[in-house]
Amino acid sequence: MQEKGNISIHTENIFPVIKKFLYSDNEIFLRELVSNAVDATQKLKRLASLGQYAGEVGDTTIEISFDETAKTITISDKGIGMTAEEVKKYINQIAFSGATEFMEKFKEAKDANEIIGRFGLGFYSAFMVADKVEIQTLSYQDGAQATKWVCDGSTSYEISEGERTTRGTDVILYINKESEEFLNKAKLDGILNKYCRFLPVAIKFGTKTTSEPDGEDEEGKPKYKSVEVDNIINNTNPAWTKAPSELKDEDYLNFYRELYPFSEEPLFWIHLNVDYPFNLTGILYFPKIKNDFDLQRNKIKLFSRQVFITDEVKDIVPEFLMLLHGVIDSPDIPLNVSRSFLQADSNVKRISNYITKKVADKLSELFKTDRKGFEEKWKDIGLFVKYGMVSEDKFAEKANDFALVQNVDKEFYTLKEYAEKVKDIQKDKNDQVIYLYANDAAKQDSFISGAKTKGYDVLLLDSPIDGHFVSYLEQKTEKTQLKRVDSDVLDKLIQKDETKELALSEEESTTVKSLFEKAIKKDNMQVEVTALSADEMPVTVTMDEFMRRMKDMAQNGGGMSFYGNLPDNYKVSVNGNHPLIKRILTSSNDEEKENLAKQAFDLALLSNGLLTGPELTNFVKRSVSLID
């Protein structure tokens, strides 16, 4: 048997195009070829189970090997193999049936996953790294002859009698000069570990040394000996392929350790298992979420029939769920198409909605069955829940029942419970309920203390998402505003009908204002004299809630760059009813007046954490001289 021919395609030579477009992702050649070997093996097992193959299935281990001297990589399986006619059909014809369409549609493609596999080009990904590819194959069919196919990366091929004596296929890649990095054990091991570690057929890559019992020594202690065994790189039956009823907590934890060897243990998990109206299996874990979002992302691994595809799942999983870890496996997700196609695909949307619902249901169940335990975990999951509520309406609808807020006294409330708690005492004269909050309890302690004195409650909102969560609560909660506890004096944060009388005359107020402006000498500090209780601070320094929010959004990339470029402006509220202000007014010593005004102002700065550098040093010296 000897035959030469040309692969019938309408383009002069597709191989340079494959190399050009896919070069950045050339390691996926191994994923494609090993996946083909798995398919061939599973087809054989299927035929045997249907009684269409009467021979012994036997050992079906797929073997990957390389020869640094010959510069070859071989993928060898014991699957169904191919006859010469099948080689012509599947390798020469079908694999290129979509070549013309491929050339037209994907000239601008940047992502290998948009191309590989879409038009049967998986096998030909071999030419990204090889100058020549050889197939040695023997079909499972009785009386079949071994077949050899060789192609040097042009459209010419050669078929002749093969040398294989057992059922299956060898694909031998003669590695090109640019790709010799792949002739390396560590490199191949890394790729196999990334793409093939959960494939359903055992894959052997060389051998490894292990210890096994070898009797006892003279003292009766167990002895061990080193033995060389096959290095099977994959777990053929990972946890997500099993029914939840088969698994214990320890199984889920062991699988998590297998996926993320150096991570802290997860808080809990969800086992996904649905076969209608789409196929989806997987396990999603709730990690202990740190405040750095970026460290958390891209930890969900996407598989198709146990073949790893990607860990960039943002078009399949809603944005907030990207903080979860784990595995999703679905043959119904189109893997080799453009992002725009993926985003419009109805199965992808249904899968996204299903996962969102399952996550919300799990959190709701945990809250209802063990509220105390849920509260203990809130530090880790609260950020995730808030992120979900801000970004996903469907999730928010369910989360309203279990989302918690925590006050500075570490008490937890659902949103409904908290609204009930503060609705009367924190209602202002305009019938608006004001939620007071702190984002740094230690730094804002004097403001918190003042609020508590009036019987007000203060929430602690200190996570990276809370800037957005504050706006979300205002939008979704009727007649409610949120104000940071240090954004104004309390009487103005929650304005009541009763008004306090100012103990100073208009002339005295003007004098006090001028005194403080002269003592402060800062253009970004706007002084006002206000009527507060005599037992409140003599001077309070605050930044307007609106201005601070805009500046925070600008700082966090929220598109408010105009505000971000503005200098920090503060309001200095001088309490005209405080005894110290009366003392300043009545002092006959101008230097004492200025020193006392400066001291009162610096105390206000100090309570805000705004007193630093030489100003702090001067404050300490002045304090010593005042008490000397």
Side-chain angles (χ1 to χ4, degrees):
M1 177 177 62
Q2 186 81 22
E3 181 182 318
K4 293 184 180 180
N6 287 308
I7 299 167
S8 56
I9 52 176
H10 301 296
T11 167
E12 187 182 328
N13 191 346
I14 200 168
F15 297 104
V17 181
I18 291 174
K19 289 180 184 181
K20 178 186 171 188
F21 283 126
L22 307 187
Y23 190 73
S24 62
D25 279 311
N26 57 355
E27 68 177 30
I28 62 174
F29 80 91
L30 197 55
R31 178 191 81 181
E32 293 299 315
L33 298 177
V34 174
S35 296
N36 287 348
V38 169
D39 286 345
T41 306
Q42 291 186 308
K43 281 173 184 168
L44 181 81
K45 290 178 179 178
R46 178 77 175 146
L47 289 172
S49 71
L50 295 171
Q52 293 176 23
Y53 173 61
E56 282 290 321
V57 172
D59 174 29
T60 57
T61 303
I62 293 164
E63 187 166 353
I64 317 298
S65 57
F66 72 101
D67 185 327
E68 211 168 348
T69 308
K71 297 186 178 174
T72 60
I73 295 174
T74 301
I75 297 91
S76 181
D77 70 62
K78 303 179 182 76
I80 56 173
M82 290 179 282
T83 62
E85 288 307 310
E86 285 170 335
V87 169
K88 290 177 196 175
K89 180 179 176 183
Y90 294 114
I91 302 298
N92 295 346
Q93 294 167 26
I94 289 179
F96 275 101
S97 61
T100 307
E101 189 185 352
F102 156 73
M103 292 291 285
E104 287 171 2
K105 285 197 174 182
F106 292 106
K107 282 179 182 175
E108 303 303 317
K110 295 181 178 69
D111 178 6
N113 273 332
E114 292 182 14
I115 303 168
I116 284 292
R118 177 81 193 277
F119 299 104
L121 288 166
F123 168 73
Y124 282 93
S125 63
F127 286 96
M128 292 190 293
V129 297
D131 283 329
K132 182 173 81 169
V133 176
E134 177 182 328
I135 296 174
Q136 292 277 359
T137 184
L138 177 61
S139 171
Y140 75 98
Q141 296 171 34
D142 288 340
Q145 280 190 310
T147 301
K148 174 183 176 182
W149 177 92
V150 180
C151 179
D152 63 1
S154 69
T155 52
S156 301
Y157 67 87
E158 187 174 317
I159 290 183
S160 58
E161 192 171 322
E163 294 145 27
R164 181 145 182 155
T165 56
T166 55
R167 177 200 72 220
T169 302
D170 298 329
V171 179
I172 304 150
L173 313 184
Y174 292 82
I175 301 302
N176 60 39
K177 193 163 184 60
E178 302 85 56
S179 304
E180 287 180 6
E181 61 180 301
F182 293 107
L183 296 167
N184 175 284
K185 187 177 189 301
K187 178 78 172 175
L188 291 174
D189 196 52
I191 299 170
L192 289 168
N193 188 52
K194 178 178 178 180
Y195 290 108
C196 307
R197 64 191 290 203
F198 297 115
L199 283 173
V201 178
I203 297 161
K204 175 189 173 187
F205 180 53
T207 59
K208 63 181 179 183
T209 305
T210 187
S211 293
E212 63 176 41
D214 185 28
E216 296 178 345
D217 62 17
E218 293 168 0
E219 297 175 11
K221 293 178 182 174
K223 284 198 307 180
Y224 295 91
K225 64 179 178 182
S226 294
V227 290
E228 204 72 7
V229 296
D230 289 349
N231 178 31
I232 304 298
I233 59 99
N234 56 326
N235 171 359
T236 59
N237 197 16
W240 85 82
T241 63
K242 300 174 184 177
S245 58
E246 294 177 48
L247 300 168
K248 298 179 179 150
D249 286 358
E250 194 55 33
D251 297 317
Y252 286 107
L253 290 170
N254 283 337
F255 182 57
Y256 188 78
R257 292 175 198 126
E258 196 174 342
L259 289 172
Y260 315 107
F262 304 108
S263 295
E264 286 185 79
E265 291 200 343
L267 297 164
F268 44 88
W269 48 85
I270 300 167
H271 196 131
L272 306 169
N273 196 348
V274 61
D275 54 19
Y276 182 82
F278 48 81
N279 281 290
L280 178 74
T281 53
I283 302 169
L284 292 177
Y285 293 89
F286 283 76
K288 291 183 177 175
I289 293 177
K290 305 294 182 286
N291 278 350
D292 188 340
F293 275 17
D294 291 331
L295 280 177
Q296 302 296 131
R297 295 174 191 275
N298 297 334
K299 294 291 183 74
I300 296 178
K301 299 175 188 294
L302 177 65
F303 289 76
S304 178
R305 296 186 177 91
Q306 295 175 239
V307 181
F308 174 73
I309 305 300
T310 182
D311 52 14
E312 292 184 14
V313 296
K314 58 178 178 255
D315 297 311
I316 295 158
V317 172
E319 176 74 14
F320 77 101
L321 293 177
M322 296 280 286
L323 298 177
L324 297 181
H325 296 175
V327 166
I328 297 171
D329 190 327
S330 177
D332 288 333
I333 295 174
L335 302 169
N336 305 304
V337 293
S338 66
R339 283 186 60 196
S340 58
F341 185 96
L342 198 61
Q343 287 163 345
D345 185 76
S346 60
N347 265 335
V348 170
K349 285 179 180 173
R350 284 204 295 262
I351 287 169
S352 174
N353 291 338
Y354 170 79
I355 293 171
T356 300
K357 181 181 181 301
K358 287 289 284 185
V359 168
D361 288 347
K362 177 71 175 182
L363 289 165
S364 180
E365 176 200 337
L366 287 168
F367 174 73
K368 286 173 182 170
T369 55
D370 180 13
R371 175 160 177 167
K372 190 172 185 305
F374 190 82
E375 289 177 357
E376 286 168 0
K377 294 184 178 83
W378 185 251
K379 184 172 172 52
D380 291 302
I381 60 174
L383 185 145
F384 166 86
V385 172
K386 289 173 187 175
Y387 189 11
M389 294 178 79
V390 166
S391 60
E392 195 82 15
D393 286 342
K394 283 185 179 174
F395 179 79
E397 284 172 25
K398 290 178 175 287
N400 276 322
D401 293 333
F402 57 74
L404 299 176
V405 285
Q406 183 185 17
N407 67 13
V408 291
D409 295 322
K410 299 185 176 175
E411 297 167 336
F412 288 97
Y413 302 89
T414 64
L415 298 179
K416 192 175 177 182
E417 288 167 353
Y418 195 74
E420 192 65 28
K421 174 181 173 66
V422 299
K423 68 176 184 181
D424 295 323
I425 192 165
Q426 289 178 213
K427 187 177 285 185
D428 69 9
K429 65 181 183 181
N430 300 315
D431 215 27
Q432 290 278 317
V433 177
I434 309 300
Y435 289 5
L436 299 175
Y437 72 95
N439 72 331
D440 187 330
K443 194 174 171 183
Q444 294 151 351
D445 186 69
S446 63
F447 293 94
I448 294 167
S449 178
K452 285 184 175 182
T453 302
K454 285 184 174 287
Y456 297 154
D457 192 74
V458 182
L459 291 172
L460 182 63
L461 296 171
D462 60 353
S463 79
I465 197 72
D466 278 330
H468 299 282
F469 190 61
V470 163
S471 301
Y472 169 85
L473 285 177
E474 285 183 330
Q475 288 169 19
K476 300 292 183 182
T477 316
E478 202 175 327
K479 291 188 173 182
T480 300
Q481 282 182 285
L482 278 86
K483 296 180 181 179
R484 207 167 87 177
V485 71
D486 61 348
S487 61
D488 209 332
V489 293
L490 268 171
D491 284 357
K492 292 191 177 178
L493 288 177
I494 305 179
Q495 290 183 312
K496 300 290 186 178
D497 282 328
E498 68 268 14
T499 53
K500 289 188 174 63
E501 291 294 321
L502 186 61
L504 304 177
S505 67
E506 195 172 327
E507 187 183 343
E508 286 174 324
S509 289
T510 305
T511 304
V512 167
K513 188 170 187 286
S514 299
L515 265 170
F516 273 87
E517 284 173 342
K518 186 182 173 188
I520 294 168
K521 296 179 185 142
K522 288 179 186 286
D523 292 337
N524 67 333
M525 297 282 176
Q526 308 305 314
V527 178
E528 68 170 23
V529 180
T530 189
L532 300 173
S533 298
D535 57 359
E536 291 195 35
M537 290 285 286
V539 178
T540 309
V541 176
T542 57
M543 182 187 282
D544 174 72
E545 175 79 12
F546 173 78
M547 179 58 72
R548 185 187 44 71
R549 280 198 208 180
M550 294 303 105
K551 289 179 79 69
D552 284 351
M553 285 174 71
Q555 195 175 351
N556 295 325
M560 298 290 176
S561 56
F562 166 73
Y563 291 100
N565 295 328
L566 292 175
D568 289 345
N569 280 298
Y570 295 92
K571 183 164 70 175
V572 180
S573 299
V574 179
N575 181 1
N577 295 337
H578 196 281
L580 177 62
I581 306 306
K582 203 71 176 169
R583 180 182 162 189
I584 291 171
L585 265 176
T586 55
S587 173
S588 57
N589 184 326
D590 286 345
E591 187 182 349
E592 184 188 44
K593 281 182 180 179
E594 188 170 335
N595 274 343
L596 286 171
K598 187 82 173 100
Q599 189 74 359
F601 171 68
D602 282 354
L603 278 167
L605 288 181
L606 189 66
S607 72
N608 267 21
L610 295 171
L611 194 62
T612 57
E615 290 179 333
L616 178 59
T617 305
N618 292 335
F619 168 75
V620 172
K621 287 178 180 176
R622 196 186 318 114
S623 299
V624 171
S625 68
L626 285 170
I627 60 174
D628 204 9

